[in-house]
Amino acid sequence: MTAKSLTTEMVDPVPGAAAPHLPLDGGIDTVQLLTPEGDRVEHPLYSLDISDEELRGLYRDLVMVRRWDAEATALQRQGELGIWASLLGQEAAQVGAGRALAEGDMAFPTYREHGVAWARGVDPLHVMSLFRGVDNGGWDPVATRFNLYTIVIGAQCLHATGYAMGVQRDGAEQAVLAFLGDGATSQGEVNEAMIWAASFSAPVVFFCQNNQYAISVPLERQTRVPLYQRAAGFGFPGVRVDGNDVLAVLAVTRAALQAAREGQGPTFIEAFTYRMGAHTTSDDPTRYRLADELEEWKLRDPIARLKAYLSRSGAADAQFFDAVEVEADELAARIRQGTVEMPDPAPTEMFDHVYAEQTPHLAAQREEFVAYRASFEGGEH
Amino acid sequence: MTQAPTLRQFKLPDVGEGLTEGEILQWLVAVGDTVTVNQPLCEVETAKAAVELPSPFAGTVVELLFDAGTMVDVGAPIITIDTGDGGTPDAAAAPEATGSGLIGETNANGRTAVLVGYGPRSTEARRRPRRAPVEPAGTTPVPPPVTDDAPPLLATAPDMRSKPVRHGGLEVGRQAEAAALSEAAAPAREAAPGRRGPRPLAKPPVRKYAKDLGVDLAAITGSGTGGCITRADVDAAIAARSVPVAPAVPATDGAARQRIPIKGVRKHTAAAMVSSAFTAPHVTEFLTVDVTRMMKLRTRLAARPEFAGVKVSPLLFVAKALLLAAQRHPMVNSSWDEAAQEIVVHGQVNLGIAAATPRGLVVPNIKDAGRLPLAELAAALGELTETARAGRTQPGDMAGGTLTITNVGVFGVDTGTPILNPGEAAILAFGAVREMPWVHKGKVKPRQVTTLALSFDHRIIDGELGSRVLADVGALLQDPASALAY
């Protein structure tokens, strides 16, 4: 028993640095067009004219993406993937943003944007091959207008801003959508990207999925103001949208992309959402957050609210919902089979895509590697 | 109709990144159960997380290969499932399709098809393929010759058997790494006793800690990973250093027994405790309260500018609650004056805080604590404890106390039966704040709970008043907003 313990009590990693109280539901500034109960509401600034067919399409997107995510998580637990970053809970933010993109627009994802990949028409198996470790991303970023996943936190914001400045110089009528998370807002390059984007009025939209946790670090350790308010400091508009409301995300992102195409410069969108699963399959979220938080967010599920709205408005019937479920199961089966059957790449393949044209130095390394492997008992491994 | 069983085994995968083993916490299926694809089979705990493993097969469970509670190497088969289709096995289970039909063997291309880099291996997880010139493999007959699936990572990679490495942030195995560390550290440890050996291993905060306390790291043998010196090692070194001071005390019979003269604070404490315990008839009452709201309030208050630079501790709220309760029940803040045959009701609360200091127990008090706004009370508490810790508490600071709190929770205990500070009518013990299952709004939830104990002088305070005071303190901590009603 020592003297110094007199007033030490609960574990407080940063003594005295307690958090400001930020509202759990995003607060009154949050743009919402569909309530968690599935009621359609209007917003003075963002309206959405959408057909029943488009609504059903969004529902299908959400269900398919969630099913894919569940299958991928299971496959990782079965040793078929090295790792998986789950999007559970963030489907609406991703599908809404992905579907807001026009054909010519360009998207720069993090490593969690499976829903955007889906909306861009990327084959899920191309994403699976990356997480299985057999390639570095198998899709064509030029054809799909969807860049390869960026693992380095926030780096894609620089790429997106640079790309947008290129679009500007080409005089093209395109917008660029940069994805980032709440944790990335603390990164230097994200802030640099925003300063450049503002200075050059680049046609880029920063789409931040605030899922409340940077791995284990809660939002209140990242910021003392709501994230969307930071945009004001950079000199462009910031808007917070209910990230679990696919309609609001679609409307807000569409408007921001259109403004970018019209030369009005960048926008920062904070999609207020929640990561229902682990950061990745290597993470255990029960170590840093309470189950009651999860229970609260379950009530704001993005799919349940759209389903409620579709049923109530008569835009879809039970037959439609059943058909989507069947289609999702088929997708899962295709993903499972395609993943486990993926051939391993030749070990020497890693030398092939480092540069567009092979360098003598790499070619020599490749030869050395081949010789080294041949030196093992039993020949080729 | 008997169909030849198609037995497939599921091997423990690496569910984190670079893990080598996991513990089966529990089985969620039993032999004979029918399972579907992705049905959870068992719960596994690794160094990173506890996760459920979903079944890669649909079929009937034939055998569980490990009991719950067993540590299993990544790559070891853990369950056998009869998929009963007699048809083509899928890639994940391929082994029995070729060779002897023994499960766990490699398929035609020399690999278990499952894996890319991280996944199940058909042999021991940490082994690397042998270089050709090496002597023949040992006599162990079981593992097939060369089944490790992972090719060496780099042309320049050292032989993994002799020197495990980290590669691109990918851990090549915890044990391998630990081995490498201890190997690297061994020479340093040997050199440590010498005068000018290599710099001893310690993390910067520990270096600073040692430097502040004047401890020479070179003289310490580290107990941490790879011989790294930890804070505990430094503490131990200090403890070892302070023992020689003891001989100043006349130790007579044997090393184990010490005779310490009773003097100073100890003597004073003893006299005070005896006097108090045998003069005032003590009664102690207990109350366990849910302080979750108080802890939340604490977080919010700490963010306010007026609390910048002061510690907003749970003790602060307990102090405030007791002060409010004393305001409502002035008799709790009183003394028994035997000589004058009077009860002295003090009115002003000089709030004592029992402090464990290097010199022993002292109870400095905050004069007229009831008049202080919360932020000033926090500052006063901070100052009082700092002074006490530094051993600079002046006699004046300890005189004139009227009501005391003892924060036994800091020692990790739930409560106690405190003895009154002599001359005072009540003392409140504040236990540890723990997260506990608690019935909240009709449901069992994890809540932050603490136990309060109030001892009082039964000559002055009856059970009713004591209970009211304790209940008031409890109510204020449970629902700080109720202070508005005071």
Side-chain angles (χ1 to χ4, degrees), chain B residues 141-383:
Chain B
V142 190
V146 191
T147 44
D148 196 324
D149 55 357
L153 293 164
L154 279 179
T156 49
D159 188 331
M160 295 293 215
R161 283 174 308 136
S162 58
K163 196 159 190 180
V165 294
R166 283 183 74 88
H167 174 66
L170 174 72
E171 205 173 349
V172 170
R174 254 163 224 287
Q175 299 196 355
E177 188 169 69
L181 268 173
S182 62
E183 208 175 278
R189 237 176 314 178
E190 277 161 26
R195 204 146 297 153
R196 284 278 158 248
R199 198 171 180 222
L201 292 172
K203 288 169 185 168
V206 176
R207 284 188 192 285
K208 166 138 190 356
Y209 184 60
K211 190 179 168 197
D212 290 350
L213 296 168
V215 175
D216 182 10
L217 287 177
I220 301 180
T221 305
S223 67
T225 314
C228 195
I229 295 165
T230 65
R231 188 172 279 259
D233 294 334
V234 176
D235 286 339
I238 293 165
R241 189 170 61 178
S242 30
V243 168
V245 181
V249 177
T252 50
D253 22 358
R257 185 181 295 174
Q258 267 189 318
R259 298 189 69 89
I260 301 168
I262 297 163
K263 58 181 187 183
V265 174
R266 175 56 53 203
K267 187 171 187 177
H268 175 78
T269 302
M273 290 299 133
V274 169
S275 140
S276 175
F278 296 103
T279 311
H282 282 60
V283 176
T284 306
E285 295 189 326
F286 305 94
L287 181 66
T288 303
V289 287
D290 173 355
V291 293
T292 312
R293 284 192 201 158
M294 175 198 97
M295 298 302 277
K296 282 185 178 158
L297 175 64
R298 173 188 174 221
T299 309
R300 288 208 299 278
L301 283 184
R304 295 171 67 102
E306 60 266 39
F307 289 91
V310 300
K311 188 166 176 64
V312 185
S313 63
L315 177 63
L316 172 62
F317 292 97
V318 174
K320 189 67 189 178
L322 183 60
L323 289 168
L324 288 170
Q327 198 179 313
R328 213 184 213 194
H329 311 285
M331 193 61 96
V332 77
N333 183 43
S334 62
S335 300
W336 181 271
D337 189 342
E338 181 71 26
Q341 285 297 299
E342 286 170 343
I343 292 167
V344 187
V345 183
H346 298 295
Q348 167 181 322
V349 179
N350 294 338
L351 183 68
I353 303 292
T357 75
R359 294 191 301 143
L361 176 69
V362 298
V363 188
N365 60 68
I366 300 169
K367 302 288 187 279
D368 200 359
R371 91 195 127 77
L372 296 178
L374 198 61
E376 283 182 49
L377 182 61
L381 279 171
E383 199 187 320

Side-chain angles (χ1 to χ4, degrees), chain A residues 34-172:
Chain A
L34 193 59
T35 68
E37 295 75 32
D39 293 326
R40 186 79 163 78
V41 290
E42 291 302 325
H43 191 276
L45 298 178
Y46 297 95
S47 61
L48 188 68
D49 195 14
I50 189 164
S51 70
D52 285 355
E53 193 182 344
E54 287 172 296
L55 284 171
R56 287 193 297 269
L58 289 172
Y59 177 81
R60 176 179 168 273
D61 287 341
L62 296 174
V63 172
M64 300 293 265
V65 163
R66 179 171 289 184
R67 188 69 186 81
W68 167 14
D69 184 73
E71 199 64 22
T73 301
L75 282 165
Q76 196 281 339
R77 294 286 180 242
Q78 291 158 0
E80 301 292 347
L81 297 180
I83 189 172
W84 179 252
S86 170
L87 61 56
L88 190 62
Q90 299 175 225
E91 296 91 347
Q94 297 192 5
V95 166
R99 289 298 178 196
L101 287 160
E103 209 169 307
D105 293 341
M106 182 70 189
F108 286 82
T110 71
Y111 44 80
R112 203 191 295 282
E113 264 64 75
H114 321 313
V116 186
W118 172 264
R120 290 314 258 171
V122 172
D123 187 331
L125 284 173
H126 281 322
V127 178
M128 298 299 279
S129 64
L130 171 66
F131 286 92
R132 192 173 162 90
V134 302
D135 61 37
N136 297 315
W139 64 92
D140 180 346
V142 179
T144 56
R145 312 291 293 154
F146 183 66
N147 195 44
L148 294 175
Y149 277 1
T150 298
I151 312 293
V152 177
I153 303 300
Q156 72 282 358
C157 290
L158 291 173
H159 309 158
T161 299
Y163 190 96
M165 290 168 67
V167 166
Q168 208 170 25
R169 276 149 189 75
D170 290 345

Side-chain angles (χ1 to χ4, degrees), chain A residues 1-10 12 15-16 18-21 67 70-71 73-83 132-134 224 280-284 287 290 292 336 340-341 344 347 350 365 368-369 372-373 375-378 381, chain B residues 10 13-17 37-38 47-56 91-92 111 113-116 118 120 129-132 134 146 151-152 154-155 157 295 298-299 302-303 311 313-315 354-358 385 389 407 410-411 433 448:
Chain A
M1 140 165 148
T2 60
K4 70 173 189 168
S5 51
L6 186 76
T7 51
T8 10
E9 64 307 293
M10 298 290 295
D12 191 354
H21 185 68
R67 188 69 186 81
E71 199 64 22
T73 301
L75 282 165
Q76 196 281 339
R77 294 286 180 242
Q78 291 158 0
E80 301 292 347
L81 297 180
I83 189 172
R132 192 173 162 90
V134 302
R224 291 290 170 118
T280 69
T281 45
S282 301
D283 169 49
D284 181 358
R287 294 189 187 184
L290 292 174
D292 66 343
R336 167 169 291 274
V340 300
E341 287 178 358
D344 288 350
M350 63 177 160
Q365 262 191 28
E368 198 183 335
F369 180 66
Y372 174 71
R373 285 170 47 78
S375 72
F376 286 87
E377 273 179 4
H381 287 287
Chain B
F10 178 34
D14 173 6
V15 293
E17 293 163 85
V37 170
N38 291 347
K48 289 188 178 173
V51 298
E52 284 181 352
L53 295 187
S55 175
R111 301 195 37 171
V114 190
L115 265 212
V116 188
Y118 314 81
R130 290 172 180 280
R131 299 293 296 268
V134 176
V146 191
L154 279 179
M295 298 302 277
R298 173 188 174 221
T299 309
K311 188 166 176 64
S313 63
L315 177 63
T357 75
T385 50
R389 268 182 220 172
N407 186 9
V410 296
F411 307 118
V433 177
Q448 290 178 300

